[in-house]
Amino acid sequence: MITIQRIQISEADKLLTFSKKTFYEFFDHLNEPANMEAYSSVAFTQQRILDELSNPNSEFYFAMLDNEVVGYLKLNFNDAQTEFRDANAIEVERIYVSGEHHGKRIGKQLMDFALDIARNKQFEYVWLGVWEHNDKALGFYQRYGFEVCGSHEFMLGDDLQTDLLMKMPLLNPPR
């Protein structure tokens, strides 16, 4: 069983190292090295991680197994959301589990944790973006009930790619 703990600013280096590691694990073999490096040089900087951790509308969590980081989750609220910026929604911007720990249901535990937060805060829906070629992640989200509701383009180096936007309504009790 994993434990999930909120990431503190003092853990920025650990988050930076783990997030870069998992990004490369999952996307390096599917993309040109120059494009991965160009993206990485912007996305995985100390300052960017510190800025994200300092945003009061974002929350980061580590999944820990035997005192080892095995996954992480980033949630965005309000104007920290990358697309909809809906006060009635929560964005799961990142959910990663290290490759050596796949198959241990850690991703499921992180998603269940995110959905518990969303329900406790009485959000109307949860949404996320996923690369259109990430079939494993698409299947994972569809099993939860997420449905494609749009898309947006992004640049990975000089490669124009498409993220599918997926949304899942939540059933909330009346307030």
Side-chain angles (χ1 to χ4, degrees), residues 11-30:
E11 298 173 297
D13 288 339
K14 187 188 297 188
L15 176 61
L16 178 60
T17 300
F18 188 82
S19 59
K20 187 172 183 178
K21 171 190 177 288
T22 52
F23 183 79
Y24 271 84
E25 279 180 349
F26 295 103
F27 302 116
D28 192 40
H29 68 286
L30 299 169

Side-chain angles (χ1 to χ4, degrees), residues 11 15 43-44 52 63 79 86 98 118 122 128 152-153:
E11 298 173 297
L15 176 61
F44 301 110
E52 289 180 343
D79 63 353
D86 186 340
S98 59
Q122 298 187 328
L128 51 85
H152 69 224
E153 295 177 335

Side-chain angles (χ1 to χ4, degrees), residues 6-161:
R6 181 97 182 247
I7 299 173
Q8 304 301 313
I9 290 193
S10 62
E11 298 173 297
D13 288 339
K14 187 188 297 188
L15 176 61
L16 178 60
T17 300
F18 188 82
S19 59
K20 187 172 183 178
K21 171 190 177 288
T22 52
F23 183 79
Y24 271 84
E25 279 180 349
F26 295 103
F27 302 116
D28 192 40
H29 68 286
L30 299 169
N31 292 283
E32 295 295 323
N35 289 330
M36 289 291 291
E37 183 55 37
Y39 179 81
S40 180
S41 69
V42 175
F44 301 110
T45 67
Q46 184 74 25
Q47 189 58 55
R48 182 163 178 180
I49 291 294
L50 287 171
D51 290 347
E52 289 180 343
L53 281 168
S54 299
N55 187 330
N57 288 313
S58 292
E59 295 177 0
F60 284 87
Y61 297 89
F62 278 139
M64 306 293 294
L65 182 64
D66 299 325
N67 293 318
E68 175 191 358
V69 176
V70 295
Y72 84 102
L73 169 70
K74 180 182 183 197
L75 303 175
N76 291 325
F77 310 90
N78 299 314
D79 63 353
Q81 294 177 69
T82 59
E83 197 76 25
F84 298 120
R85 293 180 176 82
D86 186 340
N88 293 312
I90 184 174
E91 175 189 15
V92 175
E93 183 181 356
R94 295 182 208 138
I95 184 168
Y96 283 92
V97 175
S98 59
E100 65 268 25
H101 292 284
H102 272 207
K104 297 179 182 176
R105 303 177 63 82
I106 295 167
K108 180 185 183 330
Q109 291 175 68
L110 285 168
M111 180 59 78
D112 290 346
F113 181 83
L115 294 175
D116 285 346
I117 289 174
R119 288 184 184 105
N120 288 337
K121 293 181 182 271
Q122 298 187 328
F123 287 113
E124 291 177 13
Y125 64 95
V126 178
W127 72 274
L128 51 85
V130 59
W131 188 35
E132 66 182 339
H133 298 297
N134 191 344
D135 294 332
K136 189 173 183 177
L138 283 165
F140 176 77
Y141 299 134
Q142 288 167 337
R143 284 190 297 279
Y144 267 92
F146 284 88
E147 294 182 359
V148 174
C149 63
S151 66
H152 69 224
E153 295 177 335
F154 71 97
M155 295 299 293
L156 186 84
D158 65 5
D159 184 16
L160 182 64
Q161 299 190 354

